[in-house]
Amino acid sequence: MSEFLRDFVSVANYFFLLYVVCYAVLLFFAAIYGSVVSDRRMKLKEYQATLSLQDMTNYFPISILVPAHNEELTILDAVSSLTKLDYSEYEVIVIDDGSTDATAEVLIEALDLKRTNRPVRLQTSCLPIKALYESEGQKPHIMLAIKENGGKADALNMGVNLSSYPYFLTMDADSILQKDALQKIIMPVIEDSRVIAVGGSVQVANETLIRDGVIEEHRFPSKPLVLLQLLDYSRTFMGMRLLLDAFNGNMIISGACGLFRKDLVIQVGGYNTNIVGEDMELVVKLHAFCRRGHIPYRIVYASDAVCWTQVPSTLSDLKTQRRRWHMGLFQSLGIHKEALFNPTYGSMGLLSMVYYLLLEAVEPVIELLGLTVILLAAYLQMLNIPFMIWYFFLFFLLSTLVTITSFFMRNYTLSVQLTVWQAIKVILFSFIESLGFHQLLSVYRMSAFVNYRRDRHHWGTIKRDTHTRDKEKNTG
């Protein structure tokens, strides 16, 4: 038995060494590639003539869908900023998904919405409307649908049914679109008719001063938890999203900022109301539908189309969020498991699905097994402590470099200036993010496997706060 355990530990050591090296190298390559692509895009903006979106032949009207459930603190901020976007023609549709607070009342009173009884063509499945309100003689046109509680996916399906335009954009009720976001996110569609979906860049709004969709002041996060999430977001959106974009392999478009071609979404049945990862599942479903139907398509990432969103400010809310995300990832991979390693699905099946399964979905489990093997090796007196120390030091150093590179490239693209002390703080917290915060997130993601069958349809709740711009007015 002892000999078997020794052989097992030896084989496991090689496996974990290979796994961690591949993971670290991939992240580092993604960060370098993302930096190069971001820099190239920034330089192109300086020398390229901007295509006028005011010309009626050079734009597509867009429906903005805002699902909301108990969002009375942030909904007016979000909708008010949407009325001031720099875009020729769009509509705003808020779907109140059975709120028990004053979400609907806040909008009706502030925007003077009037009740209407116009019919709704149900092209995707959703629970019925209780009441429908609209603005009168206002541009953009604003609509508020109050419906039975069916979850975010059900609310989005209702929004698709209510929308008037060929493209729709989804955003969260606690988020704010940057004023030029519609211009930037529709540009890939104008440039390439094959584009059926575009993901925007989601940035941390906590403590940022925003007025009417314009960033007046980028404030450095004062809360350590917010700063750690800012570093995490930077690595995600400035690294892997851009790398996956290179071979049409993006499988995730954040629900906080995503543009879709409506007719194709209707053809695939809309959002899946039986899972908590409806945004990822829709993207994977669109990939599969186009691949099986031999439809030329592209799903792209527009890093300059920015949406500002609140991130959790407490550990309990962070756990709820990351647990939900990981559960949604597993659900999406499970529903479309036939695409894994399947050449019929192209880069999605052969590359993206493999990445998300091996380096995202099961990564927390592998980390736990790795810790178990270390303890077993110590028990068998097989632990090479000097090698292990150097091994982990190099891994965390590489991970930290990835985070630092991604963060400073993010600041470059957003034209954010840092003080010397803030830059030092970012570097210090990048080490904490790699050694401590990452492991905490792994524990939270592991919790997605606990009571999975009971909780697989539950979103959980996250505490909201008013946006910084309102606090400024209240304290000024």
Side-chain angles (χ1 to χ4, degrees):
M1 183 63 179
S2 177
E3 192 64 30
F4 170 78
L5 289 177
R6 289 180 176 275
D7 291 340
F8 170 77
V9 169
S10 297
V11 173
N13 281 336
Y14 286 113
F15 168 77
F16 290 119
L17 178 62
L18 179 64
Y19 180 88
V20 171
V21 168
C22 289
Y23 186 53
V25 170
L26 179 61
L27 288 181
F28 185 72
F29 176 75
I32 298 300
Y33 177 83
S35 299
V36 172
V37 170
S38 297
D39 183 58
R40 186 186 306 152
R41 290 182 180 181
M42 290 289 290
K43 290 178 179 177
L44 279 174
K45 289 179 191 176
E46 297 177 9
Y47 300 107
Q48 241 178 8
T50 302
L51 184 62
S52 173
L53 293 173
Q54 305 304 318
D55 187 335
M56 291 295 289
T57 63
N58 288 336
Y59 80 100
F60 294 96
I62 298 172
S63 300
I64 301 177
L65 312 184
V66 187
H69 179 73
N70 292 344
E71 301 283 2
E72 64 176 319
L73 287 177
T74 59
I75 191 64
L76 188 57
D77 272 348
V79 175
S80 295
S81 68
L82 291 178
T83 64
K84 301 176 178 66
L85 297 178
D86 190 9
Y87 199 73
S88 296
E89 186 176 354
Y90 64 99
E91 64 179 354
V92 178
I93 303 173
V94 180
I95 309 97
D96 184 343
D97 189 51
S99 295
T100 56
D101 66 357
T103 297
E105 289 79 2
V106 166
L107 287 179
I108 293 170
E109 180 179 352
L111 303 177
D112 193 27
L113 303 180
K114 307 298 182 184
R115 186 158 185 171
T116 181
N117 293 312
R118 77 175 182 86
V120 179
R121 184 184 178 191
L122 297 179
Q123 300 181 82
T124 58
S125 177
C126 59
L127 294 179
I129 282 182
K130 293 181 177 179
L132 187 63
Y133 292 82
E134 295 182 271
S135 60
E136 293 183 349
Q138 181 178 331
K139 190 175 181 181
H141 181 246
I142 300 175
M143 190 183 307
L144 168 65
I146 303 174
K147 61 180 288 293
E148 296 179 13
N149 178 245
K152 185 178 180 181
D154 194 87
L156 287 169
N157 282 341
M158 176 57 76
V160 171
N161 292 330
L162 290 167
S163 62
S164 306
Y165 297 138
Y167 289 86
F168 68 87
L169 180 140
T170 65
M171 64 170 289
D172 293 337
D174 66 335
S175 302
I176 292 180
L177 285 183
Q178 197 155 292
K179 196 169 185 177
D180 61 355
L182 290 188
Q183 291 186 21
K184 299 296 178 59
I185 206 166
I186 198 65
M187 192 59 72
V189 177
I190 295 173
E191 294 173 342
D192 188 344
S193 60
R194 297 173 299 167
V195 174
I196 64 171
V198 185
S201 175
V202 180
Q203 299 293 335
V204 176
N206 303 53
E207 301 181 60
T208 298
L209 181 58
I210 306 171
R211 296 187 195 276
D212 301 330
V214 176
I215 308 304
E216 293 198 351
E217 184 181 350
H218 289 277
R219 293 182 174 174
F220 195 78
S222 61
K223 295 182 178 180
L225 185 60
V226 174
L227 177 56
L228 288 168
Q229 289 175 86
L230 176 57
L231 296 173
D232 182 48
Y233 272 58
S234 299
R235 189 176 57 244
T236 298
F237 285 96
M238 299 307 298
M240 284 308 302
R241 295 287 171 94
L242 286 168
L243 180 60
L244 292 172
D245 195 44
F247 51 85
N248 197 24
N250 267 315
M251 285 173 48
I252 296 179
I253 289 179
S254 172
C257 187
L259 181 83
F260 297 91
R261 206 177 95 184
K262 186 172 73 171
D263 63 327
L264 279 180
V265 171
I266 291 172
Q267 287 184 59
V268 301
Y271 288 89
N272 188 333
T273 59
N274 294 316
I275 64 173
V276 297
E278 76 291 325
D279 44 6
M280 178 181 181
E281 199 276 334
L282 175 63
V283 177
V284 178
K285 191 159 51 178
L286 288 170
H287 272 292
F289 179 80
C290 292
R291 287 287 182 179
R292 289 196 299 262
H294 304 287
I295 301 171
Y297 80 103
R298 288 186 64 218
I299 294 175
V300 303
Y301 169 54
S303 58
D304 55 351
V306 180
C307 173
W308 297 85
T309 190
Q310 290 188 23
V311 298
S313 57
T314 66
L315 288 176
S316 61
D317 284 348
L318 180 64
K319 178 182 178 180
T320 298
Q321 181 197 66
R322 297 309 172 101
R323 186 174 187 272
R324 183 182 71 216
W325 286 2
H326 208 67
M327 195 176 296
L329 171 61
F330 253 102
Q331 289 173 333
S332 297
L333 293 175
I335 292 172
H336 300 280
K337 57 183 178 294
E338 76 283 350
L340 186 64
F341 301 116
N342 190 336
T344 302
Y345 295 89
S347 58
M348 185 196 77
L350 297 175
L351 296 174
S352 301
M353 290 280 284
V354 176
Y355 164 75
Y356 278 108
L357 175 63
L358 298 182
L359 297 179
E360 293 289 342
V362 301
E363 188 250 352
V365 178
I366 290 178
E367 284 192 7
L368 179 63
L369 291 176
L371 178 60
T372 303
V373 169
I374 290 175
L375 295 176
L376 185 58
Y379 171 74
L380 296 172
Q381 297 182 340
M382 296 176 61
L383 197 61
N384 187 333
I385 294 179
F387 173 79
M388 186 182 71
I389 292 174
W390 275 106
Y391 167 71
F392 279 110
F393 172 77
L394 291 175
F395 171 73
F396 290 125
L397 180 62
L398 189 59
S399 298
T400 301
L401 287 175
V402 169
T403 302
I404 293 172
T405 302
S406 301
F407 177 81
F408 282 103
M409 181 50 63
R410 173 253 186 200
N411 281 19
Y412 170 65
T413 58
L414 294 175
S415 301
V416 177
Q417 300 295 324
L418 294 179
T419 66
V420 173
W421 166 242
Q422 288 170 344
I424 294 173
K425 193 172 181 180
V426 165
I427 295 173
L428 292 175
F429 270 75
S430 294
F431 280 97
I432 297 173
E433 196 278 336
S434 297
L435 181 57
F437 186 68
H438 173 77
Q439 289 71 28
L440 177 65
L441 294 183
S442 295
V443 172
Y444 288 164
R445 289 187 291 162
M446 273 292 295
S447 69
F449 300 104
V450 181
N451 295 324
Y452 170 79
R453 294 184 62 84
R454 185 193 69 187
D455 298 335
R456 66 187 185 278
H457 301 309
H458 297 163
W459 270 74
T461 58
I462 294 177
K463 182 182 178 182
R464 304 297 192 201
D465 195 4
T466 55
H467 287 284
T468 303
R469 68 187 195 94
D470 272 353
K471 292 177 183 176
E472 286 290 312
K473 288 186 289 186
N474 292 336
T475 59

PDB file of all heavy atoms in Angstrom, residues 122-143:
ATOM      1  N   LEU A 122     -45.401  37.301 -28.166  1.00  0.00           N
ATOM      2  CA  LEU A 122     -44.535  36.417 -27.394  1.00  0.00           C
ATOM      3  C   LEU A 122     -43.753  35.501 -28.330  1.00  0.00           C
ATOM      4  O   LEU A 122     -44.250  34.483 -28.806  1.00  0.00           O
ATOM      5  CB  LEU A 122     -45.365  35.590 -26.408  1.00  0.00           C
ATOM      6  CG  LEU A 122     -46.115  36.397 -25.336  1.00  0.00           C
ATOM      7  CD1 LEU A 122     -46.927  35.469 -24.445  1.00  0.00           C
ATOM      8  CD2 LEU A 122     -45.142  37.227 -24.501  1.00  0.00           C
ATOM      9  N   GLN A 123     -42.496  35.865 -28.576  1.00  0.00           N
ATOM     10  CA  GLN A 123     -41.635  35.054 -29.448  1.00  0.00           C
ATOM     11  C   GLN A 123     -40.667  34.195 -28.649  1.00  0.00           C
ATOM     12  O   GLN A 123     -40.072  33.261 -29.185  1.00  0.00           O
ATOM     13  CB  GLN A 123     -40.852  35.972 -30.394  1.00  0.00           C
ATOM     14  CG  GLN A 123     -41.751  36.816 -31.289  1.00  0.00           C
ATOM     15  CD  GLN A 123     -40.960  37.688 -32.229  1.00  0.00           C
ATOM     16  OE1 GLN A 123     -40.510  37.238 -33.291  1.00  0.00           O
ATOM     17  NE2 GLN A 123     -40.753  38.941 -31.847  1.00  0.00           N
ATOM     18  N   THR A 124     -40.486  34.522 -27.379  1.00  0.00           N
ATOM     19  CA  THR A 124     -39.716  33.679 -26.464  1.00  0.00           C
ATOM     20  C   THR A 124     -40.560  33.459 -25.213  1.00  0.00           C
ATOM     21  O   THR A 124     -41.372  34.303 -24.837  1.00  0.00           O
ATOM     22  CB  THR A 124     -38.380  34.333 -26.077  1.00  0.00           C
ATOM     23  OG1 THR A 124     -38.626  35.601 -25.468  1.00  0.00           O
ATOM     24  CG2 THR A 124     -37.493  34.528 -27.300  1.00  0.00           C
ATOM     25  N   SER A 125     -40.354  32.343 -24.555  1.00  0.00           N
ATOM     26  CA  SER A 125     -41.190  31.953 -23.420  1.00  0.00           C
ATOM     27  C   SER A 125     -40.874  32.781 -22.178  1.00  0.00           C
ATOM     28  O   SER A 125     -39.709  32.976 -21.821  1.00  0.00           O
ATOM     29  CB  SER A 125     -40.970  30.471 -23.113  1.00  0.00           C
ATOM     30  OG  SER A 125     -41.709  30.075 -21.981  1.00  0.00           O
ATOM     31  N   CYS A 126     -41.937  33.287 -21.514  1.00  0.00           N
ATOM     32  CA  CYS A 126     -41.767  34.047 -20.281  1.00  0.00           C
ATOM     33  C   CYS A 126     -43.095  34.138 -19.542  1.00  0.00           C
ATOM     34  O   CYS A 126     -44.162  33.899 -20.119  1.00  0.00           O
ATOM     35  CB  CYS A 126     -41.235  35.450 -20.563  1.00  0.00           C
ATOM     36  SG  CYS A 126     -42.290  36.435 -21.632  1.00  0.00           S
ATOM     37  N   LEU A 127     -43.032  34.493 -18.269  1.00  0.00           N
ATOM     38  CA  LEU A 127     -44.239  34.661 -17.471  1.00  0.00           C
ATOM     39  C   LEU A 127     -44.956  35.948 -17.883  1.00  0.00           C
ATOM     40  O   LEU A 127     -44.348  36.867 -18.427  1.00  0.00           O
ATOM     41  CB  LEU A 127     -43.876  34.705 -15.985  1.00  0.00           C
ATOM     42  CG  LEU A 127     -43.306  33.407 -15.408  1.00  0.00           C
ATOM     43  CD1 LEU A 127     -42.956  33.575 -13.930  1.00  0.00           C
ATOM     44  CD2 LEU A 127     -44.269  32.246 -15.591  1.00  0.00           C
ATOM     45  N   PRO A 128     -46.258  36.038 -17.621  1.00  0.00           N
ATOM     46  CA  PRO A 128     -47.059  37.150 -18.148  1.00  0.00           C
ATOM     47  C   PRO A 128     -46.785  38.494 -17.471  1.00  0.00           C
ATOM     48  O   PRO A 128     -46.293  38.566 -16.350  1.00  0.00           O
ATOM     49  CB  PRO A 128     -48.502  36.696 -17.891  1.00  0.00           C
ATOM     50  CG  PRO A 128     -48.399  35.748 -16.743  1.00  0.00           C
ATOM     51  CD  PRO A 128     -47.095  35.036 -16.921  1.00  0.00           C
ATOM     52  N   ILE A 129     -47.156  39.554 -18.211  1.00  0.00           N
ATOM     53  CA  ILE A 129     -47.055  40.921 -17.718  1.00  0.00           C
ATOM     54  C   ILE A 129     -48.251  41.240 -16.830  1.00  0.00           C
ATOM     55  O   ILE A 129     -49.375  40.858 -17.122  1.00  0.00           O
ATOM     56  CB  ILE A 129     -47.013  41.910 -18.905  1.00  0.00           C
ATOM     57  CG1 ILE A 129     -45.632  41.926 -19.538  1.00  0.00           C
ATOM     58  CG2 ILE A 129     -47.381  43.315 -18.470  1.00  0.00           C
ATOM     59  CD1 ILE A 129     -45.504  42.901 -20.683  1.00  0.00           C
ATOM     60  N   LYS A 130     -47.962  41.962 -15.759  1.00  0.00           N
ATOM     61  CA  LYS A 130     -49.040  42.475 -14.908  1.00  0.00           C
ATOM     62  C   LYS A 130     -49.459  43.880 -15.345  1.00  0.00           C
ATOM     63  O   LYS A 130     -50.641  44.226 -15.297  1.00  0.00           O
ATOM     64  CB  LYS A 130     -48.585  42.512 -13.446  1.00  0.00           C
ATOM     65  CG  LYS A 130     -48.348  41.144 -12.831  1.00  0.00           C
ATOM     66  CD  LYS A 130     -47.923  41.305 -11.373  1.00  0.00           C
ATOM     67  CE  LYS A 130     -47.731  39.955 -10.688  1.00  0.00           C
ATOM     68  NZ  LYS A 130     -47.304  40.109  -9.275  1.00  0.00           N
ATOM     69  N   ALA A 131     -48.462  44.687 -15.733  1.00  0.00           N
ATOM     70  CA  ALA A 131     -48.755  46.055 -16.159  1.00  0.00           C
ATOM     71  C   ALA A 131     -47.626  46.540 -17.057  1.00  0.00           C
ATOM     72  O   ALA A 131     -46.471  46.111 -16.924  1.00  0.00           O
ATOM     73  CB  ALA A 131     -48.905  46.978 -14.953  1.00  0.00           C
ATOM     74  N   LEU A 132     -47.970  47.451 -17.975  1.00  0.00           N
ATOM     75  CA  LEU A 132     -47.003  47.994 -18.916  1.00  0.00           C
ATOM     76  C   LEU A 132     -47.117  49.515 -18.924  1.00  0.00           C
ATOM     77  O   LEU A 132     -48.215  50.065 -19.054  1.00  0.00           O
ATOM     78  CB  LEU A 132     -47.262  47.440 -20.320  1.00  0.00           C
ATOM     79  CG  LEU A 132     -46.240  47.780 -21.399  1.00  0.00           C
ATOM     80  CD1 LEU A 132     -44.878  47.198 -21.057  1.00  0.00           C
ATOM     81  CD2 LEU A 132     -46.711  47.239 -22.754  1.00  0.00           C
ATOM     82  N   TYR A 133     -45.985  50.197 -18.761  1.00  0.00           N
ATOM     83  CA  TYR A 133     -45.950  51.658 -18.736  1.00  0.00           C
ATOM     84  C   TYR A 133     -44.987  52.155 -19.808  1.00  0.00           C
ATOM     85  O   TYR A 133     -43.986  51.498 -20.109  1.00  0.00           O
ATOM     86  CB  TYR A 133     -45.487  52.170 -17.370  1.00  0.00           C
ATOM     87  CG  TYR A 133     -46.460  51.913 -16.247  1.00  0.00           C
ATOM     88  CD1 TYR A 133     -46.501  50.666 -15.612  1.00  0.00           C
ATOM     89  CD2 TYR A 133     -47.326  52.906 -15.803  1.00  0.00           C
ATOM     90  CE1 TYR A 133     -47.384  50.417 -14.578  1.00  0.00           C
ATOM     91  CE2 TYR A 133     -48.215  52.671 -14.750  1.00  0.00           C
ATOM     92  CZ  TYR A 133     -48.238  51.427 -14.157  1.00  0.00           C
ATOM     93  OH  TYR A 133     -49.125  51.193 -13.139  1.00  0.00           O
ATOM     94  N   GLU A 134     -45.291  53.339 -20.378  1.00  0.00           N
ATOM     95  CA  GLU A 134     -44.435  53.918 -21.408  1.00  0.00           C
ATOM     96  C   GLU A 134     -44.319  55.427 -21.224  1.00  0.00           C
ATOM     97  O   GLU A 134     -45.191  56.067 -20.619  1.00  0.00           O
ATOM     98  CB  GLU A 134     -44.994  53.632 -22.804  1.00  0.00           C
ATOM     99  CG  GLU A 134     -45.007  52.165 -23.191  1.00  0.00           C
ATOM    100  CD  GLU A 134     -45.528  51.955 -24.608  1.00  0.00           C
ATOM    101  OE1 GLU A 134     -46.742  51.795 -24.780  1.00  0.00           O
ATOM    102  OE2 GLU A 134     -44.697  51.943 -25.531  1.00  0.00           O
ATOM    103  N   SER A 135     -43.236  55.972 -21.773  1.00  0.00           N
ATOM    104  CA  SER A 135     -43.084  57.426 -21.795  1.00  0.00           C
ATOM    105  C   SER A 135     -43.857  57.981 -22.987  1.00  0.00           C
ATOM    106  O   SER A 135     -44.111  57.271 -23.964  1.00  0.00           O
ATOM    107  CB  SER A 135     -41.609  57.799 -21.901  1.00  0.00           C
ATOM    108  OG  SER A 135     -41.037  57.263 -23.092  1.00  0.00           O
ATOM    109  N   GLU A 136     -44.224  59.238 -22.902  1.00  0.00           N
ATOM    110  CA  GLU A 136     -44.981  59.880 -23.973  1.00  0.00           C
ATOM    111  C   GLU A 136     -44.171  61.026 -24.564  1.00  0.00           C
ATOM    112  O   GLU A 136     -43.749  61.935 -23.844  1.00  0.00           O
ATOM    113  CB  GLU A 136     -46.321  60.413 -23.447  1.00  0.00           C
ATOM    114  CG  GLU A 136     -47.289  59.313 -23.032  1.00  0.00           C
ATOM    115  CD  GLU A 136     -48.637  59.877 -22.590  1.00  0.00           C
ATOM    116  OE1 GLU A 136     -48.734  61.111 -22.413  1.00  0.00           O
ATOM    117  OE2 GLU A 136     -49.586  59.079 -22.441  1.00  0.00           O
ATOM    118  N   GLY A 137     -43.936  60.973 -25.876  1.00  0.00           N
ATOM    119  CA  GLY A 137     -43.234  62.045 -26.563  1.00  0.00           C
ATOM    120  C   GLY A 137     -41.823  62.276 -26.087  1.00  0.00           C
ATOM    121  O   GLY A 137     -41.324  63.400 -26.117  1.00  0.00           O
ATOM    122  N   GLN A 138     -41.179  61.242 -25.621  1.00  0.00           N
ATOM    123  CA  GLN A 138     -39.824  61.376 -25.077  1.00  0.00           C
ATOM    124  C   GLN A 138     -38.848  60.569 -25.912  1.00  0.00           C
ATOM    125  O   GLN A 138     -39.171  59.485 -26.410  1.00  0.00           O
ATOM    126  CB  GLN A 138     -39.803  60.892 -23.623  1.00  0.00           C
ATOM    127  CG  GLN A 138     -38.440  61.004 -22.956  1.00  0.00           C
ATOM    128  CD  GLN A 138     -38.481  60.560 -21.493  1.00  0.00           C
ATOM    129  OE1 GLN A 138     -39.512  60.670 -20.832  1.00  0.00           O
ATOM    130  NE2 GLN A 138     -37.372  60.056 -20.999  1.00  0.00           N
ATOM    131  N   LYS A 139     -37.664  61.116 -26.094  1.00  0.00           N
ATOM    132  CA  LYS A 139     -36.616  60.393 -26.809  1.00  0.00           C
ATOM    133  C   LYS A 139     -35.390  60.299 -25.902  1.00  0.00           C
ATOM    134  O   LYS A 139     -34.923  61.328 -25.413  1.00  0.00           O
ATOM    135  CB  LYS A 139     -36.268  61.118 -28.099  1.00  0.00           C
ATOM    136  CG  LYS A 139     -35.351  60.304 -29.015  1.00  0.00           C
ATOM    137  CD  LYS A 139     -35.116  60.991 -30.341  1.00  0.00           C
ATOM    138  CE  LYS A 139     -34.218  60.127 -31.238  1.00  0.00           C
ATOM    139  NZ  LYS A 139     -33.946  60.773 -32.528  1.00  0.00           N
ATOM    140  N   PRO A 140     -34.926  59.062 -25.638  1.00  0.00           N
ATOM    141  CA  PRO A 140     -35.414  57.798 -26.177  1.00  0.00           C
ATOM    142  C   PRO A 140     -36.732  57.352 -25.535  1.00  0.00           C
ATOM    143  O   PRO A 140     -37.079  57.810 -24.444  1.00  0.00           O
ATOM    144  CB  PRO A 140     -34.293  56.824 -25.808  1.00  0.00           C
ATOM    145  CG  PRO A 140     -33.757  57.374 -24.533  1.00  0.00           C
ATOM    146  CD  PRO A 140     -33.799  58.864 -24.702  1.00  0.00           C
ATOM    147  N   HIS A 141     -37.399  56.447 -26.233  1.00  0.00           N
ATOM    148  CA  HIS A 141     -38.638  55.892 -25.708  1.00  0.00           C
ATOM    149  C   HIS A 141     -38.305  54.963 -24.539  1.00  0.00           C
ATOM    150  O   HIS A 141     -37.381  54.157 -24.606  1.00  0.00           O
ATOM    151  CB  HIS A 141     -39.350  55.113 -26.808  1.00  0.00           C
ATOM    152  CG  HIS A 141     -40.642  54.517 -26.370  1.00  0.00           C
ATOM    153  ND1 HIS A 141     -40.848  53.163 -26.289  1.00  0.00           N
ATOM    154  CD2 HIS A 141     -41.811  55.090 -25.960  1.00  0.00           C
ATOM    155  CE1 HIS A 141     -42.077  52.928 -25.863  1.00  0.00           C
ATOM    156  NE2 HIS A 141     -42.674  54.080 -25.663  1.00  0.00           N
ATOM    157  N   ILE A 142     -39.036  55.100 -23.432  1.00  0.00           N
ATOM    158  CA  ILE A 142     -38.809  54.279 -22.236  1.00  0.00           C
ATOM    159  C   ILE A 142     -40.046  53.445 -21.954  1.00  0.00           C
ATOM    160  O   ILE A 142     -41.178  53.950 -22.005  1.00  0.00           O
ATOM    161  CB  ILE A 142     -38.486  55.157 -21.012  1.00  0.00           C
ATOM    162  CG1 ILE A 142     -37.217  55.976 -21.271  1.00  0.00           C
ATOM    163  CG2 ILE A 142     -38.304  54.303 -19.754  1.00  0.00           C
ATOM    164  CD1 ILE A 142     -36.892  56.956 -20.170  1.00  0.00           C
ATOM    165  N   MET A 143     -39.836  52.185 -21.669  1.00  0.00           N
ATOM    166  CA  MET A 143     -40.923  51.263 -21.375  1.00  0.00           C
ATOM    167  C   MET A 143     -40.619  50.535 -20.066  1.00  0.00           C
ATOM    168  O   MET A 143     -39.468  50.166 -19.799  1.00  0.00           O
ATOM    169  CB  MET A 143     -41.084  50.256 -22.520  1.00  0.00           C
ATOM    170  CG  MET A 143     -42.334  49.393 -22.465  1.00  0.00           C
ATOM    171  SD  MET A 143     -42.357  48.196 -23.837  1.00  0.00           S
ATOM    172  CE  MET A 143     -42.108  49.259 -25.259  1.00  0.00           C
TER     173      MET A 143
END
